[in-house]
Amino acid sequence: MSKDDRRQALVQAAFNEIAERGFEGLRTREVAAEVGVNIATLHYYFPTKEALIRGVVDLAMERFRSTLAPAGSPADQLRNHLRAVRRLLRDEPRLGTVMAELALRSARDPGLAEILRETTGYWHRTVRALLRHAVTGGNLGPDLDSDDVAAAVIAVLISMTLPAAGADRADQSLRQLERWLGLPPATD
Amino acid sequence: MSKDDRRQALVQAAFNEIAERGFEGLRTREVAAEVGVNIATLHYYFPTKEALIRGVVDLAMERFRSTLAPAGSPADQLRNHLRAVRRLLRDEPRLGTVMAELALRSARDPGLAEILRETTGYWHRTVRALLRHAVTGGNLGPDLDSDDVAAAVIAVLISMTLPAAGADRADQSLRQLERWLGLPPATD
Amino acid sequence: MSKDDRRQALVQAAFNEIAERGFEGLRTREVAAEVGVNIATLHYYFPTKEALIRGVVDLAMERFRSTLAPAGSPADQLRNHLRAVRRLLRDEPRLGTVMAELALRSARDPGLAEILRETTGYWHRTVRALLRHAVTGGNLGPDLDSDDVAAAVIAVLISMTLPAAGADRADQSLRQLERWLGLPPATD
Amino acid sequence: MSKDDRRQALVQAAFNEIAERGFEGLRTREVAAEVGVNIATLHYYFPTKEALIRGVVDLAMERFRSTLAPAGSPADQLRNHLRAVRRLLRDEPRLGTVMAELALRSARDPGLAEILRETTGYWHRTVRALLRHAVTGGNLGPDLDSDDVAAAVIAVLISMTLPAAGADRADQSLRQLERWLGLPPATD
DNA sequence: AATGAATGAGAGTTCATTCAT
DNA sequence: AATGAATGAACTCTCATTCAT
């Protein structure tokens, strides 16, 4: 197993632990055990627990950002984006959980806060661009190309990372969002 | 200081600690110190850390539920509710943080999950009732009285408990929500 | 309840706790709870845990010493003594347990060691006197009136306070002792 | 120092602590300090205090059982056994104390009770066999080959683990036991 | 005579981190 | 590159004791 593979395995294990036990329950020994290596080996790859967490942040950000890439014909990109995010959070609920954990932690971690701010900003600009394309293409009313709409879209998607509402609520709110955007509701 | 006051002081201190350091950083000694009592005194009031956390759950739920009570004339109740929640989370950002922490923790704590499920259910029914009143009163189009709309409203409000978006984004998304609901945007 | 009765109730409760959990598990709060009084009340009667233990020592010694008093006709006193001790330990196994606990503790408690030394000495002299009477009365061979025999008798009886051997072993050893002493074996 | 040596050192230190302070006064930190390691190191070898105590049980049982092995010509084995046990308890009084502590604890610890029951049973059978050999060899009257005699022998020896009687009493009772068994009294 | 409230000291246990090998 | 062994610091929780009432 290459050095990089092992690094990734450790990060992935830490990711899983955070998803299942929260930062509250994250134990480096558990992470090492999950990968089947000694705790000292973990510290060989990541000098501190914090460094390991940085690795998890990078992993989560990368996974999420790869979903943001516009896909499909311009006319469909907005609807595809909503569906892609919903599918991501449904198929990989751990990612949503970890991102929510990171969001809460960012209040005490300026470096993390900056990273999330950048990602959120990029996401906002992406959604805004999708709105613009949809308006331009005649698929959306012109009043829907605004920061406020982008923020609302993102708000609904972000709320899906918290388990409070439940999966059904997530579907309902997303459906309504699509109605407000004038998109035919998703059915998958 | 009465026994009940001290209990409340301890719960409040734990609440503050969770808001500032997360469950990850909650330390009973810190809670006791914040109230100015010995750690043994804390255990005199709450036999275990978990019991103290239960106290925090009760406090958070009570604070939040007291905001749900409809206020103002029926025609204004929906708009008032949105504003009340936004104001609550703006004036008391700790409550939002704690509730998000609780939401994440509920994935590992069935008892807590049940409590949140109940509160969310109650909230949903409340919003749904407000929508119905608004439709009945002619302030809202009839298609807006649905579980989907209630879920969307709640989703936007819930997203405000996570710091990821930032205060500005919260305002934007709420303003757009009010537009979609046909309510004049809040200005305070 | 008179002051003295309450004192006695506390001592008895402590006695029971020692018998059931050993000094290892003796908790003043548990003692107070067993009597139904506040822990502070216990400290009103016994300023320290050690003082309470002294009370238990007195109680145990008194109970045991009252068994030592010769009973029956001189010819039967030796056999009666053996039977009385055996019956005491069978009917009140807690007393044996507590006395063994005290014996072990005496290694670290000179005051207690002195008390046990006195009691043991008194017991030894008592048994020795019983042996002498039996010899004088012609019920025992003259070689059985000695410190060695008294010590052996007491050794067998003391061993019955430890649960290691089991009740059957206690009966067996006592029966053999009676044989060696030329007493008809006990049958009850 | 090998891993096994350190384990043994910790067990031996715990053994010493129990002998000197009883289970009542057994403190893991003290045990670690006696060996000169950190308290966390102790928990590296023994996850819990109870596991450490199990180690002490094993040590005590092994030490005691190794004394039970018959030694010398068959004609002398019984006398040698008595002398060996007496010498063991005299030279290593801690072993007697620890075994008495274990005996008392066995009342609250079924696992320990089973271990002691086994050891006592084995001891009983051993003594019984020695009695049989002595009778067969003509060194003992035939009536002395019985469970009752074995039980009496063991009772006298067990009583020596309790300090109540004192060393002199132990010698006296053992001497008398040897007389009853028809063995010339020990003189060492 | 009795108690509720409070505490200092210390218990067993955990955990991220280090270091010699 | 990897590990077994070790640790300092800190954690939750306990307990005998005190004190104002």
Side-chain angles (χ1 to χ4, degrees):
Chain A
M1 183 176 255
S2 85
K3 183 157 179 171
D4 228 55
D5 285 355
R6 177 139 290 172
R7 268 188 72 91
Q8 260 329 97
L10 286 166
V11 167
Q12 180 63 50
F15 179 96
N16 293 343
E17 286 295 305
I18 291 169
E20 281 180 26
R21 308 185 210 286
F23 277 109
E24 185 190 359
L26 177 62
R27 299 289 176 266
T28 52
R29 267 196 154 75
E30 206 56 42
V31 170
E34 198 175 316
V35 173
V37 301
N38 188 278
I39 175 65
T41 302
L42 183 150
H43 273 87
Y44 173 76
Y45 286 92
F46 299 93
T48 66
K49 188 183 186 181
E50 217 54 39
L52 177 64
I53 291 174
R54 269 314 126 166
V56 172
V57 171
D58 294 344
L59 173 62
M61 289 306 131
E62 189 197 317
R63 287 233 192 127
F64 179 68
R65 279 175 169 253
S66 71
T67 307
L68 295 188
S73 71
D76 294 330
Q77 283 180 1
L78 179 57
R79 121 199 279 153
N80 284 348
H81 176 69
L82 296 187
R83 295 185 178 183
V85 173
R86 185 181 50 166
R87 196 177 313 114
L88 179 68
L89 294 180
R90 179 183 283 161
D91 296 350
E92 247 187 293
R94 285 171 162 179
L95 181 56
T97 302
V98 170
M99 294 203 63
E101 288 276 356
L102 292 176
L104 279 173
R105 204 166 199 258
S106 73
R108 307 154 230 143
D109 180 340
L112 177 55
E114 178 56 22
I115 290 173
L116 286 185
R117 202 164 19 246
E118 279 172 19
T119 298
T120 308
Y122 173 62
W123 190 10
H124 187 91
R125 288 190 299 278
T126 300
V127 169
R128 184 73 202 274
L130 296 180
L131 290 169
R132 184 172 313 122
H133 292 162
V135 168
T136 306
N139 301 88
L140 228 58
D143 54 322
L144 291 181
D145 172 16
S146 76
D147 278 344
D148 289 7
V149 172
V153 166
I154 289 176
V156 169
L157 296 177
I158 280 184
S159 75
M160 294 165 62
T161 64
L162 286 179
D168 292 348
R169 298 301 187 206
D171 281 341
Q172 293 174 335
S173 58
L174 190 59
R175 203 166 4 174
Q176 183 58 36
L177 182 64
E178 290 176 322
R179 275 197 206 98
W180 276 330
L181 291 173
L183 303 173
T187 53
D188 65 354
Chain B
M1 182 177 251
S2 85
K3 178 154 186 174
D4 230 56
D5 286 353
R6 178 135 289 173
R7 267 187 75 91
Q8 255 338 90
L10 286 165
V11 167
Q12 181 63 51
F15 179 97
N16 293 343
E17 285 295 307
I18 292 170
E20 279 179 27
R21 307 185 211 286
F23 276 110
E24 184 190 359
L26 178 61
R27 299 291 175 264
T28 53
R29 266 197 159 74
E30 206 56 43
V31 171
E34 195 174 318
V35 173
V37 300
N38 188 280
I39 174 64
T41 301
L42 184 151
H43 275 91
Y44 177 74
Y45 287 91
F46 298 93
T48 65
K49 188 183 184 180
E50 214 56 37
L52 176 63
I53 291 175
R54 251 340 108 151
V56 172
V57 171
D58 293 345
L59 173 62
M61 290 305 132
E62 190 197 316
R63 286 234 191 124
F64 179 68
R65 279 174 168 253
S66 71
T67 306
L68 294 187
S73 72
D76 294 331
Q77 282 180 2
L78 179 58
R79 124 198 278 151
N80 284 347
H81 176 68
L82 298 187
R83 295 187 178 182
V85 173
R86 185 180 51 168
R87 196 177 313 114
L88 179 67
L89 294 180
R90 179 183 284 161
D91 296 349
E92 254 188 285
R94 285 170 163 181
L95 181 56
T97 302
V98 169
M99 294 202 65
E101 287 275 356
L102 292 177
L104 279 174
R105 203 167 201 258
S106 72
R108 305 154 232 141
D109 179 340
L112 177 54
E114 177 58 21
I115 290 174
L116 287 186
R117 197 157 28 239
E118 279 172 20
T119 298
T120 307
Y122 174 62
W123 190 10
H124 187 92
R125 289 189 298 278
T126 301
V127 169
R128 185 73 204 274
L130 297 180
L131 290 169
R132 186 172 310 123
H133 292 162
V135 168
T136 307
N139 300 88
L140 228 59
D143 55 322
L144 290 181
D145 173 17
S146 77
D147 279 342
D148 289 7
V149 174
V153 166
I154 288 176
V156 170
L157 295 176
I158 278 184
S159 76
M160 294 165 61
T161 64
L162 286 178
D168 292 349
R169 299 302 187 203
D171 281 340
Q172 293 175 333
S173 58
L174 191 59
R175 207 179 325 154
Q176 183 57 38
L177 182 65
E178 290 176 322
R179 274 196 207 98
W180 276 329
L181 292 173
L183 303 172
T187 54
D188 64 356
Chain C
M1 184 177 254
S2 85
K3 183 159 180 172
D4 228 55
D5 285 354
R6 178 141 289 175
R7 268 187 72 91
Q8 259 331 97
L10 286 166
V11 167
Q12 181 63 51
F15 179 97
N16 293 343
E17 285 295 305
I18 293 169
E20 281 181 27
R21 309 186 209 283
F23 277 109
E24 186 190 357
L26 177 61
R27 300 287 176 267
T28 53
R29 267 197 155 76
E30 206 55 42
V31 171
E34 198 174 318
V35 174
V37 300
N38 188 278
I39 175 64
T41 302
L42 182 149
H43 273 88
Y44 174 76
Y45 286 93
F46 299 93
T48 66
K49 186 183 187 182
E50 217 53 40
L52 177 63
I53 291 175
R54 270 314 126 166
V56 173
V57 171
D58 293 345
L59 172 61
M61 289 305 133
E62 189 197 317
R63 286 232 192 127
F64 179 68
R65 279 173 169 254
S66 71
T67 307
L68 295 186
S73 71
D76 295 330
Q77 283 180 0
L78 179 58
R79 118 197 283 149
N80 285 346
H81 175 69
L82 298 187
R83 295 185 178 183
V85 173
R86 185 181 50 168
R87 196 177 313 114
L88 179 67
L89 294 181
R90 179 181 285 160
D91 296 350
E92 248 187 292
R94 285 172 162 179
L95 181 57
T97 301
V98 170
M99 294 203 62
E101 287 276 356
L102 292 176
L104 280 173
R105 205 168 200 257
S106 72
R108 307 154 231 144
D109 180 340
L112 176 54
E114 178 57 21
I115 290 173
L116 286 185
R117 200 160 24 240
E118 279 172 18
T119 297
T120 308
Y122 173 63
W123 188 10
H124 187 91
R125 288 190 298 279
T126 300
V127 169
R128 185 73 202 275
L130 296 180
L131 290 168
R132 185 172 310 121
H133 291 162
V135 169
T136 306
N139 301 88
L140 230 58
D143 54 321
L144 291 181
D145 172 18
S146 76
D147 279 343
D148 290 6
V149 173
V153 166
I154 288 175
V156 169
L157 296 177
I158 279 184
S159 75
M160 294 165 60
T161 64
L162 286 178
D168 292 348
R169 300 301 188 206
D171 281 341
Q172 293 175 334
S173 59
L174 191 59
R175 206 179 324 155
Q176 183 58 35
L177 182 64
E178 289 176 321
R179 275 194 206 101
W180 277 330
L181 291 173
L183 303 172
T187 54
D188 64 354
Chain D
M1 182 179 251
S2 84
K3 178 154 186 175
D4 230 56
D5 286 352
R6 178 136 288 173
R7 266 188 76 90
Q8 256 337 92
L10 286 165
V11 167
Q12 182 63 50
F15 179 97
N16 294 343
E17 285 295 305
I18 292 170
E20 281 179 27
R21 307 185 212 284
F23 277 109
E24 184 190 357
L26 178 61
R27 300 288 175 265
T28 53
R29 271 194 162 75
E30 205 58 41
V31 170
E34 195 174 319
V35 174
V37 300
N38 188 278
I39 174 64
T41 300
L42 184 151
H43 276 91
Y44 178 75
Y45 287 90
F46 298 94
T48 64
K49 187 184 185 181
E50 214 57 36
L52 176 63
I53 292 175
R54 247 344 105 153
V56 172
V57 171
D58 293 344
L59 173 63
M61 290 304 132
E62 188 196 318
R63 287 235 190 123
F64 178 68
R65 277 173 168 254
S66 71
T67 306
L68 295 186
S73 70
D76 294 330
Q77 282 179 2
L78 179 59
R79 124 200 277 149
N80 284 347
H81 176 68
L82 298 187
R83 294 186 178 182
V85 173
R86 186 183 50 168
R87 196 177 313 113
L88 179 68
L89 295 180
R90 179 183 283 159
D91 297 350
E92 253 187 286
R94 285 169 162 181
L95 181 56
T97 302
V98 169
M99 293 203 65
E101 287 276 357
L102 292 177
L104 280 173
R105 203 165 201 259
S106 71
R108 305 155 232 141
D109 180 341
L112 177 53
E114 177 57 20
I115 290 173
L116 286 185
R117 201 162 21 244
E118 278 172 20
T119 298
T120 307
Y122 174 63
W123 189 11
H124 187 92
R125 289 189 298 278
T126 301
V127 169
R128 184 75 203 273
L130 296 180
L131 290 169
R132 186 173 310 123
H133 292 161
V135 168
T136 307
N139 300 87
L140 229 59
D143 54 320
L144 290 181
D145 172 17
S146 77
D147 279 343
D148 290 6
V149 173
V153 166
I154 288 175
V156 170
L157 296 176
I158 279 183
S159 77
M160 294 165 60
T161 63
L162 286 179
D168 292 349
R169 298 302 188 205
D171 281 341
Q172 292 175 334
S173 58
L174 190 60
R175 204 169 356 171
Q176 183 57 38
L177 182 63
E178 290 176 320
R179 275 196 205 99
W180 276 330
L181 291 173
L183 304 171
T187 54
D188 64 355

